[in-house]
Amino acid sequence: MIRVVIFNDSHGWHSDQLETALAPYGITLIRSNLAQCRIDLDRPSGLHIPGIGAELPDGVIVRGIAAGSFEQITLRLDILHALAELGVPVLNSPLAIERTVDKARTSLLLRYKGVPTPRTWACEDWEQARFVSAQAQQEKHELVLKPLFGCQGQGITRIGKSTDLETCEVTGGLYYLQEFIPPTQPNRWQDWRFFVVDHRCIAAMVRRGRSWITNVARGAECFPAALDRQMGTLACQATRAVAVDYAGVDIIQTPDKGFQVLEVNSVPSWKALQQTTGVNIANALAEALLKRLQHPYLEQSGW
């Protein structure tokens, strides 16, 4: 019996989708939570994962890591690192998750690899942040202040002038500032989400917001989108830059610089995207995992 653990702090639609996709291949999906795991040197592997017994799982899919203290997150990533070092395929790898959960590191890696992305600044010092904001105001463009670790559009603020920083709630004492990209058409707030598996785009949607925030969790509407070659190439360049196995890549069109990558999400949701496409996204993830498990199905299907 092949056993795959899916880690999330709460299991629902996504876990159901993955379980349905993996079941035809004789794979048992075990739902677990990294917060309930422990390092346990009394065990042969040094790890305790509820529901798996003394043995290691055959594979792991990371669907979520709950918020917690720095120490708690470190331990949860330690569990994933240990599994990977013990030869268990982990999708996405802990290194990939670390690269992308940190927006500043993602921005740097995109820049290093020549992937177009908005101008970005990250600093701890208030005076430096104020200088960046004043410079932006002088250049007649706005900024967006984002939490370094954040998702679903939570905690982001639009900065029009340097005095706006004085009233902003700064998460963790750090200023992650990104150039604000105005719409190409008045009041048409939109961007694209591309879903990439093994550096191949499999689905896309356009998100249109009621305001400048286009996250689905903040009320944006989703519509089908063609797999545009230019944006698809850009999305795959982004996943290669941060070395993720699969990701949701957010792309925006600028008024004068073409398309740019906003973010790379290594633990992406796809419920909204699934409603806009005929591609079964869970099946694509299942096939990616089968490849890493060297499952007999691969030989039978000629992979």
Side-chain angles (χ1 to χ4, degrees), residues 71-105:
E71 290 79 5
Q72 288 172 324
I73 299 299
T74 298
L75 178 59
R76 294 166 197 172
L77 287 168
D78 285 344
I79 300 290
L80 295 178
H81 277 294
L83 287 165
E85 289 161 1
L86 290 168
V88 178
V90 180
L91 195 74
N92 273 306
S93 75
L95 284 173
I97 293 171
E98 288 172 349
R99 291 187 198 102
T100 54
V101 73
D102 177 347
K103 290 184 175 66
R105 192 172 180 191

Side-chain angles (χ1 to χ4, degrees), residues 219-266:
E221 293 185 280
C222 303
F223 302 92
L227 290 176
D228 176 85
R229 177 172 293 184
Q230 182 180 358
M231 282 192 285
T233 299
L234 189 60
C236 293
Q237 289 173 345
T239 59
R240 287 190 172 93
V242 296
V244 290
D245 298 317
Y246 77 99
V249 181
D250 296 337
I251 296 176
I252 194 167
Q253 186 175 17
T254 72
D256 55 354
K257 297 179 182 178
F259 295 104
Q260 294 186 341
V261 173
L262 285 173
E263 293 186 9
V264 181
N265 189 334
S266 62

Side-chain angles (χ1 to χ4, degrees), residues 3-252:
R3 298 182 299 174
V4 169
V5 170
I6 179 168
F7 285 122
N8 204 351
D9 56 321
S10 61
H11 293 274
W13 183 87
H14 289 87
S15 297
D16 293 343
Q17 290 282 301
L18 289 167
E19 185 168 24
T20 299
L22 290 167
Y25 307 108
I27 294 175
T28 299
L29 194 69
I30 297 169
R31 305 181 187 211
S32 190
N33 185 338
L34 282 165
Q36 297 171 349
C37 299
R38 68 175 183 265
I39 291 174
D40 185 344
L41 300 191
D42 282 340
R43 290 177 171 264
S45 67
L47 300 174
H48 169 71
I49 301 172
I52 206 73
E55 299 177 358
L56 290 172
D58 297 289
V60 166
I61 301 174
V62 184
R63 267 293 311 134
I65 300 176
S69 68
F70 178 78
E71 290 79 5
Q72 288 172 324
I73 299 299
T74 298
L75 178 59
R76 294 166 197 172
L77 287 168
D78 285 344
I79 300 290
L80 295 178
H81 277 294
L83 287 165
E85 289 161 1
L86 290 168
V88 178
V90 180
L91 195 74
N92 273 306
S93 75
L95 284 173
I97 293 171
E98 288 172 349
R99 291 187 198 102
T100 54
V101 73
D102 177 347
K103 290 184 175 66
R105 192 172 180 191
T106 300
S107 295
L108 276 172
L109 289 170
L110 293 174
R111 173 67 179 272
Y112 291 157
K113 297 296 184 179
V115 180
T117 193
R119 296 165 67 194
T120 301
W121 301 262
C123 61
E124 297 180 42
D125 184 71
W126 152 250
E127 291 296 336
Q128 292 185 41
R130 189 173 66 171
F131 171 79
V132 169
S133 181
Q135 184 182 36
Q137 187 176 355
Q138 187 176 9
E139 296 174 359
K140 297 186 180 346
H141 66 78
E142 297 180 78
L143 300 172
V144 177
L145 175 67
K146 300 180 179 181
L148 189 67
F149 310 113
C151 62
Q152 297 183 334
Q154 297 177 352
I156 68 175
T157 307
R158 193 165 154 186
I159 306 295
K161 51 188 182 298
S162 56
T163 53
D164 290 343
L165 283 173
E166 298 174 6
T167 59
C168 288
E169 183 178 345
V170 180
T171 305
L174 189 139
Y175 299 89
Y176 175 87
L177 296 160
Q178 195 171 67
E179 182 178 4
F180 173 73
I181 306 299
T184 56
Q185 299 178 36
N187 297 317
R188 189 175 178 87
W189 310 104
Q190 71 175 27
D191 61 13
W192 287 262
R193 162 61 64 93
F194 276 73
F195 204 95
V196 182
V197 180
D198 285 334
H199 312 306
R200 182 175 64 89
C201 290
I202 65 166
M205 67 179 177
V206 61
R207 305 184 298 191
R208 296 198 179 112
R210 298 171 184 169
S211 68
W212 62 278
I213 301 176
T214 57
N215 297 82
V216 175
R218 300 292 294 273
E221 293 185 280
C222 303
F223 302 92
L227 290 176
D228 176 85
R229 177 172 293 184
Q230 182 180 358
M231 282 192 285
T233 299
L234 189 60
C236 293
Q237 289 173 345
T239 59
R240 287 190 172 93
V242 296
V244 290
D245 298 317
Y246 77 99
V249 181
D250 296 337
I251 296 176
I252 194 167

